[in-house]
Amino acid sequence: MRAISIPLPTVLAGFVAVLVGYASSAAIIWQAADAAGANASQIAGWLTMLGIAMGVSTLALTLWYRAPVLTAWSTPGAALLATSLHGSTLNEAVGVFIFASALILVCGATGLFARLMRLIPPTLSAAMLAGILLRFGLDTFTSLQCHFLLCLSMLMGWLLAKAFAPRYAVVAALLMGLAVCLITGEFTSAGVPMGVALPEFTAPHFSVASLLGIGLPFFLVTMASQNAPGVATLKASGYNIPVSPLIVVTAAIALLLAPFGVFSICIAAITAAICQGSEAHPDPAKRWLAAASAGVFYLLAGAFGGSISALLTALPLAFIHTLAGLALLSTIAGSLHQALINERDRDAAIVTFLVTASGVTLAGIGSAFWGLVAGGICYAVFSLARRA
């Protein structure tokens, strides 16, 4: 069998894709797991299994289709979990993961993906996402009050990189923050040993309140903000791959591994673009090698999930909040733009945004669900009035 030669820039493209993905959102995953009540060793196990799941799914789909199919966790979904899981048990969180993955699997297997997403106006979905993410954006700047030097340094690193090398803006903020923590001695002793962290099985518990209040919005956010852009990125790069098998494979892996902390596996968008561009390989037919390299780096990241978790727990919370907020700034801006761009839907969208951002809980069901309900009622009434 002839050996495949992989150029160094192609390997580096895979490495950068994984680095950007982890640097951008590992802190958000940590917050989501902490909100669910997971301890330090359980969070390390989550990161281990997520790395393995993304590595296996990326390699399987990339090698099967000979196309750069990169998978990822749902960063907007993790942000929703971080804001919604407070007061829930870890068992209920796993029940939410299973419920959402099962819904995604059904959508993929039946071909309902596109039709289901059309039921909810995209302006309301975007407004709900913006409301969920608002807290992360605010935390980026409120952290200045208690850790001024650290947060300001990260903001300046992000700003300069955003101006001259936008792809690496979050990585620059990460490195700047680590440097300041090293200089000022703001590292604390971590509760997780460096090295391999074995995942723990958590039995699911299903409650109507958590499934409706967290699971349903989590499903919608994952499909609308992760899988849909991921598929669109593939098609825009010239790779016309059947959508349903991609959704089925990623959802099935997430469903199988949900009790071990795999809250979602989706089609990547932003990081996938790194492996799908000309920088990865001048020949589009060989760019799958970059995604395959990323799959290997995912597996390595999973093997060292304990080390990643130890690093995050050793850093001040202000570092986590600032990094997470900076990673989500473009998503917040894009969501607000999409929510408010259509003047006819603007009032319904702003109601969805404000109700979601309020954090109100009614009948034990979280604000993301009620934001969609309130915005949907406004949308329906305004539509009927225009027709009349």
Side-chain angles (χ1 to χ4, degrees):
M1 182 178 178
R2 189 178 66 178
I4 298 176
S5 175
I6 305 179
L8 181 59
T10 302
V11 176
L12 288 177
F15 174 76
V16 170
V18 173
L19 176 63
V20 170
Y22 268 79
S24 300
S25 52
I28 303 169
I29 307 302
W30 190 91
Q31 287 181 279
D34 181 66
N39 58 39
S41 61
Q42 288 170 325
I43 295 174
W46 281 32
L47 290 171
T48 294
M49 287 308 297
L50 282 165
I52 292 172
M54 291 186 297
V56 169
S57 55
T58 294
L59 284 171
L61 292 171
T62 294
L63 295 176
W64 180 261
Y65 288 108
R66 282 296 195 271
V69 183
L70 199 70
T71 64
W73 52 47
S74 171
T75 300
L80 183 149
L81 295 174
T83 58
S84 304
L85 284 176
H86 292 284
S88 301
T89 66
L90 196 59
N91 305 84
E92 287 176 329
V94 171
V96 167
F97 304 163
I98 292 175
F99 175 72
S101 294
L103 287 179
I104 295 172
L105 182 63
V106 170
C107 284
T110 59
L112 288 174
F113 175 38
R115 279 175 285 172
L116 184 62
M117 294 315 299
R118 281 198 295 267
L119 290 177
I120 298 177
T123 49
L124 300 194
S125 297
M128 181 188 71
L129 180 59
I132 291 165
L133 301 182
L134 178 63
R135 196 204 77 187
F136 290 88
L138 296 176
D139 284 348
T140 303
F141 302 99
T142 56
S143 298
L144 285 164
Q145 295 179 109
C146 53
H147 286 79
F148 182 78
L149 177 61
L150 171 62
C151 298
L152 181 63
S153 300
M154 295 177 71
L155 286 167
M156 292 305 298
W158 174 86
L159 179 62
L160 292 173
K162 192 72 174 177
F164 299 104
R167 182 181 293 175
Y168 305 100
V170 177
V171 176
L174 168 69
L175 295 176
M176 186 67 75
L178 288 175
V180 172
C181 287
L182 282 170
I183 294 170
T184 59
E186 290 200 68
F187 278 104
T188 58
S189 57
V192 179
M194 301 289 281
V196 177
L198 296 177
E200 298 180 20
F201 177 85
T202 302
H205 175 71
F206 303 96
S207 71
V208 174
S210 63
L211 295 184
L212 286 179
I214 306 173
L216 190 58
F218 177 53
F219 157 71
L220 293 173
V221 163
T222 299
M223 293 297 274
S225 302
Q226 192 70 53
N227 276 327
V231 171
T233 301
L234 266 173
K235 292 186 180 299
S237 299
Y239 300 100
N240 294 309
I241 300 170
V243 174
S244 291
L246 301 182
I247 303 299
V248 167
V249 169
T250 52
I253 291 174
L255 183 63
L256 181 65
L257 299 179
F260 299 97
V262 177
F263 65 95
S264 72
I265 297 294
C266 312
I267 308 303
I270 297 172
T271 52
I274 298 173
C275 296
Q276 294 166 4
S278 58
E279 298 88 350
H281 201 289
D283 184 359
K286 293 184 178 180
R287 289 173 191 165
W288 65 271
L289 294 170
S293 300
V296 174
F297 286 118
Y298 269 144
L299 293 176
L300 290 174
F304 291 98
S307 300
I308 296 171
S309 180
L311 175 64
L312 292 174
T313 53
L315 292 163
L317 279 176
F319 175 93
I320 305 295
H321 290 159
T322 303
L323 185 65
L326 290 174
L328 291 168
L329 279 184
S330 60
T331 306
I332 296 171
S335 298
L336 283 173
H337 174 74
Q338 185 180 355
L340 303 176
I341 192 172
N342 189 333
E343 187 176 353
R344 293 199 312 168
D345 297 350
R346 196 168 292 165
D347 289 329
I350 202 66
V351 168
T352 302
F353 169 72
L354 292 174
V355 174
T356 303
S358 71
V360 65
T361 299
L362 300 173
I365 300 174
S367 62
F369 175 81
W370 294 117
L372 274 180
V373 170
I377 292 173
C378 292
Y379 181 88
V381 171
F382 296 152
S383 297
L384 288 173
R386 281 193 296 266
R387 290 169 188 166

